Amino acid sequence: MAHSEEYLERYNLIDEATGKRFQATSLINPNSNRPNLTYEFGGHTRVWRWTRERMKAAEAAGEIYFPPRGGIPRQKRFLDEQEGVPVSDVWTDIPPLNSQAQERLGYPTQKPLALLERIIAASSNEGDVVLDPFCGCGTAVHAAEKLGRQWIGIDVTHLAIGLIEKRMTEAFPDIAFEVKGRPQSLSAAMDLAARDKHQFELWALSVVDAVPWKGGRKGADGGIDGIIWFKPDGKRTEKAIVEVKGGGTGVKDIGRLAQVMQREGAPLGVFITAQAPTRAMERDAASVGVWENELTGRKHPRLQILTLAEIFQNKRPDIPWVDASAVKKARREDTTKQGKLL
Ligand SMILES: C[S@@+](CC[C@H](N)C(=O)[O-])C[C@H]1O[C@@H](n2cnc3c(N)ncnc32)[C@H](O)[C@@H]1O
């Protein structure tokens, strides 16, 4: 383990010859009755810790510090020669993730990456396989990849697997890994919808890059299953409300989503349905109108219906994801309008 800040502050002197940081520690012997260690050195007669020969050798090696104005000589203890502190069985130097932590993914039991890195570094070698059979949002597999280990992560919920897929591709853009157990076909997704409504919902949300509402907990959702956050101008955050229906559906559901969008002040809504929508549903969705992104001038349907079949044809919601070049262009035009130089 690295030294604490408090420890490092003790190394407050710099050796002129080498530029190395050191602290000056006492050379005085705590025993007063040691005639063979009593001699004059540096203008002081004291009982020293070392024999005269050893003291002379240390002086020749530049290991003795002579304080200004004839102070008592001391030993130079160089920082780079001190070993780190062995890790104890109580770790207090890695703080838990706070609600504002950059690495926070919203998974309720998420652990700090630094913690898993220490555990993996201490208990495996590069190239070893790390298995986390309850991997949650994948902190252990992230640490394993970072430290050059192979890894296998297992979790029972699609919320975890969806998050890990996103997390790993964002952290390691060139990474290649295989995901097993996610619906790979329309019939597999239909089967999941019939078997487990909640897991189907979590899977569908992860496919459209939505964050499950209230961390994916079951229960009354107030008409919201998930949220897609986006920044249409690269600064302001907006949301699309996502509603997932694995079973029967009808116009009532569209009306309800429109109401929730209004209540939440959300410019967009996405309705994911296993069943194909009726004409009336499509009509009602279209009647919610379009939302124009001021930055790009593009119009996006406010209430979008996306079927499972379309998902497997790789269709995704029409979200104004922030486009760095559009933002740059708009800022440039804006600045030019104001007559300022870039
Ligand atoms: C404490 S969390 C893991 C947290 C993880 N270490 C992290 O930092 O994100 C435990 C995980 O076990 C998963 N789990 C529970 N029962 C399971 C089972 N039978 N098989 C696989 N995973 C399961 C849960 O979904 C949950 O994500």
Side-chain angles (χ1 to χ4, degrees):
M1 239 172 83
H3 293 292
S4 66
E5 271 306 312
E6 193 189 343
Y7 178 89
L8 294 176
E9 276 168 17
R10 284 189 237 144
Y11 290 79
N12 57 351
L13 295 164
I14 303 288
D15 185 37
E16 276 178 18
T18 59
K20 291 203 285 189
R21 201 164 148 179
F22 70 95
Q23 67 165 315
T25 57
S26 173
L27 281 167
I28 305 289
N29 200 314
N31 303 310
S32 52
N33 189 17
R34 298 293 297 269
N36 60 328
L37 295 176
T38 308
Y39 54 89
E40 186 277 329
F41 180 71
H44 299 270
T45 301
R46 292 283 188 284
V47 185
W48 302 102
R49 271 174 36 218
W50 295 337
T51 60
R52 193 192 294 268
E53 294 69 37
R54 179 153 179 218
M55 191 71 102
K56 284 282 168 204
E59 183 185 6
E63 291 166 5
I64 305 294
Y65 172 61
F66 295 94
R69 292 184 291 282
I72 298 177
R74 294 167 79 83
Q75 182 187 0
K76 293 178 188 169
R77 276 189 190 274
F78 293 102
L79 178 59
D80 65 354
E81 288 167 9
Q82 309 308 314
E83 286 184 3
V85 185
V87 173
S88 72
D89 51 5
V90 178
W91 299 352
T92 53
D93 60 316
I94 300 178
L97 291 182
N98 67 44
S99 58
Q100 303 304 313
Q102 275 257 308
E103 67 182 89
R104 199 170 178 90
L105 297 168
Y107 202 78
T109 56
Q110 186 179 351
K111 310 287 178 296
L113 185 60
L115 177 67
L116 271 299
E117 277 183 36
R118 183 180 295 168
I119 295 170
I120 290 171
S123 54
S124 67
N125 297 313
E126 248 182 72
D128 284 354
V129 182
V130 173
L131 169 72
D132 185 349
F134 306 94
C135 61
C137 61
T139 314
V141 299
H142 187 155
E145 178 71 27
K146 199 169 160 195
L147 297 172
R149 274 64 168 169
Q150 304 181 72
W151 51 266
I152 301 168
I154 303 171
D155 204 284
V156 76
T157 165
H158 284 283
L159 170 62
I161 306 302
L163 266 175
I164 296 179
E165 278 191 279
K166 212 163 171 272
R167 168 183 199 159
M168 296 302 274
T169 37
E170 274 170 18
F172 311 98
D174 300 326
I175 195 173
F177 57 87
E178 203 183 328
V179 184
K180 293 199 169 157
R182 303 262 284 162
Q184 301 294 340
S185 65
L186 181 56
S187 60
M190 290 293 214
D191 179 54
L192 178 63
R195 271 188 298 115
D196 189 332
K197 189 172 158 287
H198 185 61
Q199 287 302 321
F200 169 73
E201 193 178 296
L202 293 173
W203 166 78
L205 292 174
S206 70
V207 169
V208 297
D209 284 327
V211 184
W213 182 243
K214 295 195 177 146
R217 285 193 292 276
K218 286 188 189 181
D221 57 18
I224 302 177
D225 288 335
I227 307 264
I228 301 173
W229 298 102
F230 60 95
K231 289 180 189 285
D233 58 0
K235 288 189 282 186
R236 190 180 81 249
T237 304
E238 293 283 7
K239 58 188 173 203
I241 309 280
V242 186
E243 196 49 35
V244 182
K245 277 272 174 255
T249 182
V251 271
K252 268 206 329 258
D253 296 320
I254 298 298
R256 204 163 73 108
L257 177 55
Q259 271 174 16
V260 176
M261 285 163 62
Q262 193 173 15
R263 184 187 78 204
E264 301 291 323
L268 302 180
V270 177
F271 187 78
I272 301 177
T273 168
Q275 214 175 59
T278 59
R279 282 269 161 81
M281 286 168 75
E282 283 174 342
R283 188 198 54 221
D284 284 7
S287 72
V288 182
V290 291
W291 182 78
E292 185 174 331
N293 184 357
E294 284 169 20
L295 180 75
T296 57
R298 270 199 58 211
K299 293 187 169 84
H300 303 261
R302 289 199 58 207
L303 201 161
Q304 307 173 18
I305 300 178
L306 185 67
T307 66
L308 267 198
E310 286 171 331
I311 284 181
F312 284 98
Q313 287 155 11
N314 279 328
K315 186 171 171 199
R316 293 295 179 266
D318 180 9
I319 305 291
W321 296 114
V322 56
D323 170 356
S325 63
V327 174
K328 241 179 166 171
K329 186 166 169 270
R331 296 233 169 96
R332 209 164 29 233
E333 279 166 7
D334 197 35
T335 329
T336 319
K337 263 191 238 151
Q338 292 169 26
K340 285 185 195 152
L341 285 173
L342 272 181

